[in-house]
Amino acid sequence: MKSISLYVDNGSWLCRVHPFTKLAYIVTAISVPLIGGTLWLFAAFIALSLAVLASGHLLRRVTPLVAFSFTILITIFLIHGLFNQNNQTPLFQIGPLRFYQEGLLYALRIGCNVLNMLFSFAILVLSTKPSELVEELEKRGFSRRIGYIIISVFQIVPQMMGTMSTITDAQRSRGMETEGNLLTRAKAFLPLISPVVMSALINTRERAVALEVRGFAAKQKKTYLADRTPHRGDKPITIALLALIVLAAGWRIAQCL
Amino acid sequence: MNLFKTKFNAATIVLIPACIGINYLGKMFASLLKLPLWLDSIGTCIGGCLGGPVIGAICGAANNLIYGFTAGDNITLIYALTSLGIGVAAGIMARLGFMKSFPKALLTAVVAGLVAVLISTPLNVIFWGGTTGNVWGDMVFAATQAAGMPVLLGSLLDEIVVDVPDKIITLIVVFFVLKGLPKKLTALYDANAKVERLD
Amino acid sequence: MPVIAVENLKYRYPHADALALDGLTFTVEKGEFIGIVGANGAGKSTLSQALIGLVPQFYNGAYGGRVLIDGLPAESTPISELCCKVGLVFQNPFNQLSGAKDNVYEEVAFGMQNLGVPRAEMHRRTENALKLLDIWQFRDRNPFDLSGGQMQRVAIASILVMEPDIIVLDEPTSQLDPQGSEEVFRTVDKLAHSGITILMIEQKIEKIAAYCDRILLLHQGHQIAFDTPQKVFSRPDLEQLGVQAPVFTRICRALGTTLPDGSYPVTVEEAANQLRRTSVLPPVSAQQEERPELFEIRNLEFSYRPGTPVLHGINLQLDARPTAIIGQNGAGKTTLVKLLKGLLRPTGPSIWFRGEDISHKTVAALAAQVGYVFQNPDDQIFRYNVLDEVMFGPLNIGMSEEQAREKSRAALALTGLSDQENSNPYDLELNERKMVAIASVLAMDPDVLILDEPTIAQDMMGRRRIADIVRTLSAQGKLVLAILHDMDFVAECFDRVVVMAQGQVVADGSPRQVFADSAALQAARLDPPHVTQLCTRLGYDGVFLTVEEFLDACGCQA
Ligand SMILES: Nc1ncnc2c1ncn2[C@@H]1O[C@H](COP(=O)(O)OP(=O)(O)OP(=O)(O)O)[C@@H](O)[C@H]1O
Ligand SMILES: Nc1ncnc2c1ncn2[C@@H]1O[C@H](COP(=O)(O)OP(=O)(O)OP(=O)(O)O)[C@@H](O)[C@H]1O
Ligand SMILES: [Mg+2]
Ligand SMILES: [Mg+2]
């Protein structure tokens, strides 16, 4: 069963860093440039994120994420470069399309913000096991119901894919052609949706009973099978990151005064 | 009848991940067949209809937050608010009896679609300068901008073109799924159910 | 004070007309081992859920009377509190997983985590339970990738580790191999001796009779009897109540052998002590008729994941004799029949159907000739109406609407579902859903019918119905190939038995030959049928397979 989580334990130091440290990094990386408001801060954090990813041997696995948001970025550059309301200074022309400086600059800002978010999230997403993140959250008093919901999503999606292939098997067994050209396969896809959705919903009943009898709603403090060994950088890095936010805010206020 | 009455028992807790899984499936289906729709709120609407507006809201928001934080899809993170709105809308309409017949379900779809539009448009403008990332919708947006219309209006049209048809298809699917659900299951989500005494 | 006190318990599910439980009154003392028996729909599972408070707290509905667990009312004590006292293993293991853990070890520990058991203790209990149930080697596997029996073991382990004072087990051994279920009974019995109270729902009557102190007999929600096994199983009206007495009781009754108190023996020991040895001719094997060959399997290898082969070089010819595949959990039985059906692909050409290599055929192309009923019926149901569900297959293989409807109605009649035509299959009970799955394949009128553990969850009537289906189809010259864990049923209905162990065929022949081969049975963790066991004890020659056969030899009518 293939998981939807992008985490793979590649043994790098990043995998051993506490999830909260990575969360603090996300907060800092996103908020500092927004508070500071200058373009070079975005660039600095993008570069920093990339450096961290590279040192964790994760650079190659970021590419598909970037590719995913690329189409959306291109649309933004096209639409704003061509049609932004504030467009005044033509910059260059490709065929009949004339691009303007104001629109492109505006698009650049959006693009930088998106990439910055993407890379900083990538650090967390690619190097943290979801169940570990949830366990740490629960240990700090996060509701175990919410914890269950999160973890269970990671189980349920591959399980639904499994159900899908079992139901395909059942339909094939009863004479429905699902192999062959694209049209046959596409046609076979439609009758799958409703039984998969149905079975996912119907399983919830028994799943709920299963949770009840296994003390899911118990009031006792939960215990855990494993304890993580803290990374010695966790504390100083977190403090430094939070200090950066304060610094940025202070600088901005000072500027305004 | 209290519209927002909600049970937080194992049955509703388990419903939420199932709905999020269904959302994922719908989205995968739409992108596999290259449909000009999202289809990523089927589960949220089911959650809302079965568990009420609060569960719908949680399904919607949790959906985007979970995928955003753990699957690397942080663009969806921003739209957690929209999903939340859709879940609430579907939940309220269902509690008001607007999922009982097919024409009424269509009305629910329009309401859910409009709620999505109202919440998404400002988000689009703030984060993307008005585009939505959907090819068809963005063509409309480009046209409005070329014609010199205000960004907000363009973005609104952009969203309407995408969201309303999407929610109509979504709620048609939801309507038929709910109709097929066995009574044994739906009885669990009845927020007003009480144990009757036999003696 | 009794640990369980039930007083005039009544319950009705929401939207239901009839009471599922009607006026139950009994008490159970600490350390007792209670068996609960009854036909399908008798209310056994409902009672088990009432003991842990799921009925009525989870299901709502209408409730009357009282259930006291250690003095606590089950109706109002939170389930999260009751579950420390009462552990419940469900009927369907496929649904007992928490869905929050991705390996067996953590899955088993999930309940303890919720109850706040200290870490070292959790590891100790988990390891013990996994070893006890023989699933230690699967601790790192995803629980959803296990075979049916392995999953059932996980379900039992996950409740045992919570160490409740009362354990309620709802058909916990339905998918286990015979020695595996014997081990579960022995384990549970040991727990009972250590002061833990056990309530076990089972269709395996001989086992229940051998282990339980008292039997609670239910019928349509009513409590018929609560007494010793000897008293309960000696009741003359037992069959009308949908329960078949143990093999030993049936034999003793027919031979008129009673215990001093006038009831009949219920276990093999009691029966062997009471029955006097008479001279009995050993049974003779009937001449087997020749049947045309259908499947030819040569050197079949298969693995789900590279490096861990599941089937090793299977060689087998299958003709149209009714054939049973038996063997230990995880032996590869389901895998083998899925390969025959084309749902899994062997690495090279190794399976021929009527002389044709099936590796190039699509499953759909084989569908009209080879029918397959899944181990879990829920994998197979996808329509909202029983008749539509059954007609799906026939319509797909090109029957006309008329003909499909006719065939489907006939199949529903054969499976006893005629009056459920318009029900939603998801609203039916497990045993009925299993029948719907069988009917939906029967309606396609295939030449080969593969049944994966068809007797799960079926009561006496259901098993007889399946036996009828097997006979009817073989009389029509079709191959019925069934995977089974019920040896009595195998001995009764099948002409050929294939024994599998660890991905290999270890024995193959008539039931009489196979059940005489104790080495093969041991390798596959099987036991001979109960009659065979009794006759071996009594020192008779030959292998007796059914009660009728033995009674005939004794010169007596059943
Ligand atoms: N969730 C439910 N909603 C409504 N009716 C139900 C529900 N579960 C069971 N019933 C009905 O209650 C009755 C008793 O069912 P129960 O499952 O307790 O029987 P059982 O003795 O366990 O049968 P089996 O041997 O098939 O497991 C049946 O008539 C069944 O149809
Ligand atoms: N989808 C799968 N992925 C990986 N391994 C699997 C999968 N399905 C089954 N197995 C493994 O293959 C082996 C054979 O499984 P199979 O289901 O054929 O056993 P079985 O003989 O039918 O057992 P049971 O009597 O318990 O149903 C088992 O060890 C099982 O864990
Ligand atoms: Mg039952
Ligand atoms: Mg099997």
Side-chain angles (χ1 to χ4, degrees):
Chain A
M1 284 214 266
K2 217 177 131 335
S3 169
I4 55 161
S5 157
L6 298 173
Y7 164 77
V8 177
D9 186 2
N10 66 0
S12 77
W13 67 278
L14 259 186
C15 298
R16 274 173 288 121
V17 171
H18 198 284
F20 288 180
T21 314
K22 296 172 199 162
L23 280 176
Y25 178 75
I26 294 179
V27 174
T28 315
I30 293 175
S31 64
V32 168
L34 288 179
I35 296 171
T38 51
L39 218 48
W40 67 264
L41 271 174
F42 283 108
F45 272 100
I46 290 176
L48 181 57
S49 301
L50 283 173
V52 171
L53 284 167
S55 79
H57 310 289
L58 292 170
L59 219 40
R60 205 150 31 90
R61 306 224 334 273
V62 188
T63 342
L65 294 182
V66 181
F68 184 71
S69 41
F70 219 65
T71 40
I72 210 166
L73 288 179
I74 296 214
T75 338
I76 291 173
F77 271 89
L78 278 177
I79 291 182
H80 287 286
L82 293 170
F83 309 122
N84 192 294
Q85 312 276 311
N86 302 325
N87 281 349
Q88 268 171 355
T89 346
L91 206 61
F92 58 91
Q93 189 150 8
I94 307 173
L97 303 176
R98 181 177 299 156
F99 285 84
Y100 293 87
Q101 187 183 343
E102 289 78 10
L104 285 178
L105 217 59
Y106 181 71
L108 187 65
R109 237 179 165 32
I110 295 178
C112 279
N113 191 14
V114 170
L115 284 180
N116 181 29
M117 273 171 66
L118 194 136
F119 289 130
S120 54
F121 268 99
I123 295 178
L124 175 80
V125 168
L126 297 177
S127 72
T128 313
K129 194 173 172 185
S131 62
E132 190 189 325
L133 175 62
V134 171
E135 268 189 19
E136 291 304 317
L137 286 170
E138 281 182 4
K139 285 180 193 168
R140 308 285 156 95
F142 203 66
S143 148
R144 68 168 88 162
R145 290 164 191 256
I146 300 179
Y148 174 81
I149 292 173
I150 300 174
I151 292 302
S152 172
V153 167
F154 286 92
Q155 287 281 302
I156 218 163
V157 170
Q159 217 177 307
M160 283 170 78
M161 303 290 164
T163 315
M164 217 146 106
S165 74
T166 324
I167 293 177
T168 318
D169 275 356
Q171 295 185 335
R172 294 193 302 166
S173 312
R174 280 158 66 192
M176 199 168 96
E177 199 56 79
T178 57
E179 294 156 274
N181 62 22
L182 196 71
L183 188 69
T184 322
R185 276 180 289 152
K187 262 205 315 219
F189 206 68
L190 273 174
L192 262 179
I193 288 289
S194 123
V196 174
V197 169
M198 284 294 274
S199 83
L201 289 174
I202 283 164
N203 285 339
T204 60
R205 189 181 115 200
E206 314 254 347
R207 169 77 42 86
V209 185
L211 288 182
E212 291 275 13
V213 305
R214 288 171 72 191
F216 179 62
K219 301 275 182 312
Q220 288 95 327
K221 195 165 162 35
K222 219 174 142 178
T223 47
Y224 298 90
L225 279 173
D227 211 6
R228 52 171 299 121
T229 40
H231 194 272
R232 71 190 140 78
D234 279 336
K235 220 179 210 149
I237 296 179
T238 313
I239 294 172
L241 286 170
L242 298 181
L244 261 175
I245 301 181
V246 177
L247 219 68
W251 181 63
R252 187 62 194 257
I253 292 167
Q255 234 182 9
C256 291
L257 287 177
Chain B
M1 185 177 62
N2 183 352
L3 271 186
F4 290 93
K5 188 169 178 186
T6 308
K7 278 205 217 172
F8 279 103
N9 55 12
T12 45
I13 296 294
V14 170
L15 180 65
I16 294 167
C19 288
I20 296 177
I22 293 169
N23 282 345
Y24 184 86
L25 211 70
K27 196 157 111 181
M28 197 188 75
F29 177 69
S31 72
L32 223 65
L33 297 189
K34 303 222 166 9
L35 301 178
L37 302 164
W38 312 114
L39 292 189
D40 62 351
S41 51
I42 298 179
T44 305
C45 293
I46 292 177
C49 293
L50 288 177
V54 178
I55 297 296
I58 299 177
C59 283
N63 178 66
N64 292 42
L65 292 178
I66 291 176
Y67 291 132
F69 269 102
T70 51
D73 190 2
N74 54 54
I75 292 169
T76 61
L77 210 57
I78 304 157
Y79 292 100
L81 266 179
T82 312
S83 295
L84 187 148
I86 295 170
V88 172
I92 293 181
M93 292 299 279
R95 285 270 167 97
L96 289 176
F98 278 92
M99 282 308 280
K100 292 234 167 73
S101 69
F102 191 72
K104 284 183 174 175
L106 288 182
L107 201 68
T108 309
V110 174
V111 171
L114 291 180
V115 168
V117 170
L118 286 182
I119 304 179
S120 298
T121 308
L123 293 176
N124 288 339
V125 174
I126 295 169
F127 284 93
W128 309 110
T131 57
T132 57
N134 180 300
V135 184
W136 306 90
D138 285 347
M139 284 204 312
V140 173
F141 181 69
T144 60
Q145 296 305 293
M149 283 192 231
V151 175
L152 203 63
L153 185 65
S155 186
L156 193 75
L157 286 176
D158 178 341
E159 274 293 327
I160 290 179
V161 170
V162 184
D163 261 331
V164 175
D166 176 56
K167 295 304 167 294
I168 288 177
I169 304 281
T170 299
L171 275 139
I172 290 176
V173 174
V174 172
F175 177 74
F176 283 107
V177 165
L178 292 182
K179 238 181 64 168
L181 281 180
K183 283 195 223 73
K184 276 183 190 175
L185 182 73
T186 46
L188 292 185
Y189 300 113
D190 184 355
N192 297 309
K194 278 208 193 58
V195 180
E196 184 189 325
R197 279 304 299 193
L198 278 175
D199 41 23
Chain C
M1 192 179 73
V3 280
I4 301 175
V6 177
E7 246 176 69
N8 196 24
L9 172 64
K10 289 185 183 172
Y11 180 69
R12 189 178 63 228
Y13 283 102
H15 307 297
D17 308 320
L19 288 175
L21 296 175
D22 192 355
L24 268 52
T25 303
F26 60 91
T27 57
V28 179
E29 298 297 329
K30 183 171 174 353
E32 268 195 293
F33 189 156
I34 305 292
I36 304 176
V37 299
N40 289 137
K44 304 181 296 292
S45 302
T46 310
L47 172 61
S48 71
Q49 306 199 56
L51 294 174
I52 190 167
L54 287 165
V55 161
Q57 295 182 42
F58 182 81
Y59 292 99
N60 298 312
Y63 189 84
R66 282 201 308 172
V67 175
L68 294 181
I69 303 293
D70 243 352
L72 296 173
E75 183 193 5
S76 50
T77 313
I79 298 171
S80 54
E81 223 169 284
L82 273 180
C83 74
C84 309
K85 295 190 183 301
V86 187
L88 172 62
V89 179
F90 303 157
Q91 191 160 12
N92 191 350
F94 300 107
N95 294 326
Q96 188 147 36
L97 303 171
S98 68
K101 301 292 171 184
D102 55 11
N103 65 58
V104 168
Y105 194 91
E106 291 183 10
E107 175 66 37
V108 169
F110 177 76
M112 289 187 288
Q113 283 192 305
N114 289 329
L115 299 182
V117 175
R119 181 175 304 147
E121 179 67 12
M122 275 202 286
H123 284 294
R124 189 188 63 80
R125 288 193 204 170
T126 309
E127 188 175 333
N128 278 350
L130 290 178
K131 286 186 174 153
L132 191 68
L133 288 156
D134 201 16
I135 40 176
W136 177 246
Q137 65 271 37
F138 305 120
R139 62 186 177 279
D140 292 326
R141 288 267 291 276
N142 189 318
F144 289 99
D145 282 344
L146 296 176
S147 81
Q150 289 162 348
M151 225 186 261
Q152 196 153 33
R153 286 162 203 257
V154 173
I156 299 173
S158 62
I159 293 300
L160 286 188
V161 292
M162 292 169 72
E163 300 193 343
D165 305 327
I166 302 167
I167 303 182
V168 185
L169 303 112
D170 195 349
E171 302 191 27
T173 65
S174 55
Q175 316 208 17
L176 297 192
D177 51 51
Q179 291 190 9
S181 45
E182 178 67 27
E183 270 160 26
V184 168
F185 270 90
R186 256 198 311 245
T187 308
V188 168
D189 192 44
K190 227 188 274 166
L191 291 175
H193 282 112
S194 72
I196 290 174
T197 312
I198 307 284
L199 285 91
M200 169 111 81
I201 299 171
E202 256 306 344
Q203 296 289 355
K204 291 182 178 155
I205 295 295
E206 284 78 13
K207 287 237 153 49
I208 280 282
Y211 282 98
C212 292
D213 304 320
R214 284 195 287 170
I215 304 282
L216 177 64
L217 173 59
L218 299 181
H219 186 61
Q220 296 181 346
H222 295 278
Q223 175 176 341
I224 305 293
F226 185 46
D227 213 331
T228 60
Q230 288 79 3
K231 287 266 163 48
V232 171
F233 294 132
S234 295
R235 287 176 75 99
D237 59 352
L238 204 60
E239 294 222 346
Q240 278 92 293
L241 298 171
V243 176
Q244 194 166 36
V247 163
F248 316 115
T249 315
R250 277 168 11 220
I251 289 174
C252 290
R253 180 191 288 278
L255 297 175
T257 315
T258 57
L259 292 166
D261 68 351
S263 56
Y264 296 105
V266 296
T267 65
V268 67
E269 288 85 12
E270 281 174 354
N273 289 340
Q274 297 296 323
L275 286 173
R276 257 158 297 126
R277 208 182 121 85
T278 51
S279 65
V280 162
L281 288 176
V284 281
S285 306
Q287 197 61 46
Q288 299 240 339
E289 51 176 326
E290 286 288 308
R291 294 255 190 141
E293 182 183 291
L294 286 166
F295 277 107
E296 157 101 41
I297 303 165
R298 262 186 263 142
N299 248 329
L300 175 63
E301 302 272 346
F302 185 79
S303 61
Y304 287 98
R305 287 162 305 165
T308 43
V310 170
L311 297 180
H312 312 267
I314 302 242
N315 286 299
L316 207 60
Q317 279 87 36
L318 295 171
D319 55 34
R321 279 175 294 169
T323 302
I325 302 181
I326 59 180
Q328 72 189 131
N329 291 127
K333 305 181 292 298
T334 299
T335 309
L336 173 64
V337 295
K338 279 193 174 164
L339 283 157
L340 292 180
K341 170 76 192 170
L343 288 171
L344 298 173
R345 294 268 176 228
T347 28
S350 37
I351 303 177
W352 289 262
F353 178 64
R354 293 203 165 115
E356 263 183 281
D357 178 8
I358 66 165
S359 60
H360 304 298
K361 291 196 151 190
T362 65
V363 184
L366 272 174
Q369 291 150 50
V370 183
Y372 174 50
V373 182
F374 284 63
Q375 188 162 352
N376 184 0
D378 298 346
D379 290 342
Q380 203 184 323
I381 288 175
F382 36 83
R383 287 294 163 97
Y384 301 148
N385 165 309
V386 169
L387 188 62
D388 280 354
E389 175 69 39
V390 177
M391 281 173 60
F392 175 87
L395 289 177
N396 264 331
I397 56 170
M399 286 193 203
S400 69
E401 183 89 23
E402 268 313 274
Q403 200 187 1
R405 178 158 299 127
E406 191 184 313
K407 288 266 184 210
S408 302
R409 292 235 160 93
L412 286 172
L414 205 55
T415 45
L417 287 168
S418 293
D419 50 347
Q420 301 280 17
E421 234 175 57
N422 294 313
S423 311
N424 184 339
Y426 294 107
D427 258 329
L428 301 179
E429 292 297 310
L430 182 62
N431 62 311
E432 293 166 315
R433 291 205 299 278
K434 196 98 198 186
M435 286 294 188
V436 172
I438 294 175
S440 63
V441 173
L442 279 180
M444 294 168 70
D445 203 12
D447 299 333
V448 178
L449 176 68
I450 302 175
L451 300 166
D452 201 342
E453 309 202 13
T455 59
I456 290 178
Q458 301 293 343
D459 60 4
M460 177 188 73
M461 280 301 294
R463 281 200 301 269
R464 286 196 183 153
R465 197 160 265 141
I466 291 171
D468 277 344
I469 293 171
V470 175
R471 286 196 204 101
T472 314
L473 265 71
S474 342
Q476 294 167 4
K478 298 177 174 177
L479 164 61
V480 180
L481 185 64
I483 297 177
L484 287 158
H485 288 307
D486 180 343
M487 299 302 127
D488 291 359
F489 191 83
V490 170
E492 206 172 303
C493 301
F494 291 84
D495 291 351
R496 178 175 174 195
V497 179
V498 174
V499 184
M500 288 184 68
Q502 290 171 356
Q504 280 167 326
V505 173
V506 292
D508 178 6
S510 71
R512 222 177 292 285
Q513 291 161 341
V514 167
F515 287 125
D517 183 350
S518 52
L521 293 184
Q522 201 52 40
R525 302 179 49 77
L526 299 170
D527 286 332
H530 292 106
V531 186
T532 318
Q533 290 174 26
L534 178 67
C535 295
T536 313
R537 282 237 175 181
L538 291 170
Y540 293 131
D541 290 333
V543 175
F544 288 93
L545 291 174
T546 63
V547 174
E548 290 71 31
E549 191 175 74
F550 178 63
L551 291 176
D552 267 350
C554 295
C556 170
Q557 287 299 305

